[in-house]
Amino acid sequence: MSHSSSLARLLIPHLRPEARTAYAELPSLESVLSELLASAHAAWPRARLEDAVFLRYLAERLAPASEPERTLRALPVADLFLACACVHGDAAAHAALDAHFLPKVTAAVARVHPGADAASEVCQVLREKLLTSEAGQPPRLAGYLGQGPLAAWLRAAAVRTALNLRRTAQRQARAEEEALADATLPGGTHPELEHLRQRHRADFQAALAEALAALPSRERTVLRLHLVEGLSLERIGTVYRTHKSTVSRWLAHAREEVLAGTRSRLAERLRLSSGELHSLLRDVPAQLDQSLSSLLASTGRNEGS
């Protein structure tokens, strides 16, 4: 059967080739789609989403099926509709996600990352990942395919986020311990080490500037606001409409990327042993903010002149 009805025409062209025939030949397709849309709109009446947008979104997630009507009727269509509206930036859908779904993940988070503050931080990070596009990729919520309830999918995503945050905290703690160990080494600067640092000072400055320039614009801006303009984490969070803990992670990630980028550029540029490279960079973490502040202030003046 060839469908000419309006809803079917909005769905069929966007189905995978291997799924298209089964759905296109379904006699009841138009009425089933009408029922699904009515159910979705009834569930989230404040969400503003065109039927054409949702049906395309739905089609892109439908797998081949031997019983297409049963497959369609088994979908958590209200959850898919809300996810689609969120992905497309609807404010009412975002509010519904905040009110009806994110609070329910806290129990799952608590088993991995105990504490009310930890749960709040995980929810904030999760929300940002779910609703924000990065590097041209769609928001993470677009990865929800409707293969189960949205609440269960979000709980799993929250647990993964909590585990990642805990691992990041552990890595930062180890880095701080290593920095403390370096700081407690016997005092005094070896003449060879001082010569090495003086000899490669220009190379280090160039590598640091390149690593800073390679950061995404948001991370450079946040570093400038914090290190040059002196804005607190809370104020930067207000600018970006996010929690101060998220800003803190942005700053930590930016510092890590600059350090890694500086090290890799020096390794490519200089032919030093790993021990010499470690010695050259040993004091950099403690002085990084001062170095970055000077660089950012300088580039700011150059851009403004």
Side-chain angles (χ1 to χ4, degrees):
M1 176 178 178
S2 176
H3 278 281
S4 59
S5 301
S6 58
L7 296 180
R9 284 205 310 270
L10 296 174
L11 179 93
I12 292 170
H14 304 293
L15 290 163
R16 303 179 206 174
E18 63 271 24
R20 194 169 296 152
T21 300
Y23 288 98
E25 293 179 351
L26 179 64
S28 58
L29 180 60
E30 187 73 16
S31 62
V32 172
L33 293 178
S34 180
E35 290 175 27
L36 293 179
L37 284 168
S39 173
H41 286 297
W44 309 112
R46 295 186 179 181
R48 294 293 175 262
L49 185 66
E50 294 181 5
D51 289 349
V53 173
F54 176 61
L55 289 175
R56 176 170 185 163
Y57 186 88
L58 178 64
E60 291 168 349
R61 285 154 180 78
L62 282 174
S66 58
E67 298 182 72
E69 181 170 349
R70 177 176 292 184
T71 298
L72 285 170
R73 292 190 182 281
L75 289 171
V77 67
D79 289 354
L80 280 165
F81 185 87
L82 181 67
C84 180
C86 284
V87 167
H88 285 83
D90 180 70
H94 290 180
L97 186 75
D98 291 339
H100 298 283
F101 287 90
L102 291 183
K104 297 177 182 178
V105 307
T106 54
V109 170
R111 290 194 289 270
V112 176
H113 213 323
D117 289 344
S120 176
E121 181 181 12
V122 169
C123 285
Q124 177 64 38
V125 174
L126 177 63
R127 187 185 191 280
E128 181 185 339
K129 290 181 179 296
L130 290 173
L131 302 179
T132 305
S133 299
E134 291 186 4
Q137 297 299 311
R140 295 282 182 87
L141 190 54
Y144 171 63
L145 303 180
Q147 295 174 348
L150 179 58
W153 187 88
L154 289 172
R155 282 196 299 271
V159 169
R160 285 194 299 271
T161 301
L163 290 171
N164 288 338
L165 288 176
R166 191 171 69 177
R167 283 193 288 266
T168 299
Q170 290 169 344
R171 283 197 299 269
Q172 289 175 346
R174 285 196 297 270
E176 290 171 1
E177 290 173 1
E178 291 169 2
L180 181 60
D182 279 347
T184 57
L185 289 173
T189 302
H190 294 292
E192 296 86 352
L193 178 56
E194 183 60 28
H195 173 72
L196 181 69
R197 290 177 176 173
Q198 291 295 334
R199 178 183 172 189
H200 296 298
R201 186 178 301 277
D203 293 308
F204 167 75
Q205 291 294 335
L208 183 67
E210 291 169 9
L212 177 62
L215 287 177
S217 60
R218 184 187 69 185
E219 295 191 356
R220 286 199 309 275
T221 300
V222 170
L223 281 171
R224 187 190 303 278
L225 291 173
H226 187 57
L227 299 179
V228 180
E229 305 297 334
L231 268 64
S232 66
L233 302 186
E234 290 88 347
R235 288 190 63 191
I236 297 173
T238 299
V239 171
Y240 284 92
R241 297 182 180 181
T242 191
H243 194 270
K244 68 177 183 178
S245 62
T246 299
V247 177
S248 178
R249 280 192 303 278
W250 289 349
L251 288 168
H253 182 261
R255 292 183 178 105
E256 290 173 3
E257 288 297 303
V258 168
L259 285 173
T262 301
R263 174 179 287 275
S264 65
R265 285 167 173 80
L266 283 176
E268 292 174 5
R269 191 169 298 175
L270 308 175
R271 294 186 175 181
L272 299 177
S273 68
S274 59
E276 288 174 323
L277 189 59
H278 174 76
S279 297
L280 183 64
L281 297 175
R282 193 185 73 184
D283 295 333
V284 170
Q287 302 168 2
L288 182 63
D289 280 2
Q290 181 179 350
S291 299
L292 290 176
S293 178
S294 299
L295 270 175
L296 288 163
S298 174
T299 55
R301 286 193 297 269
N302 292 338
E303 291 168 1
S305 60

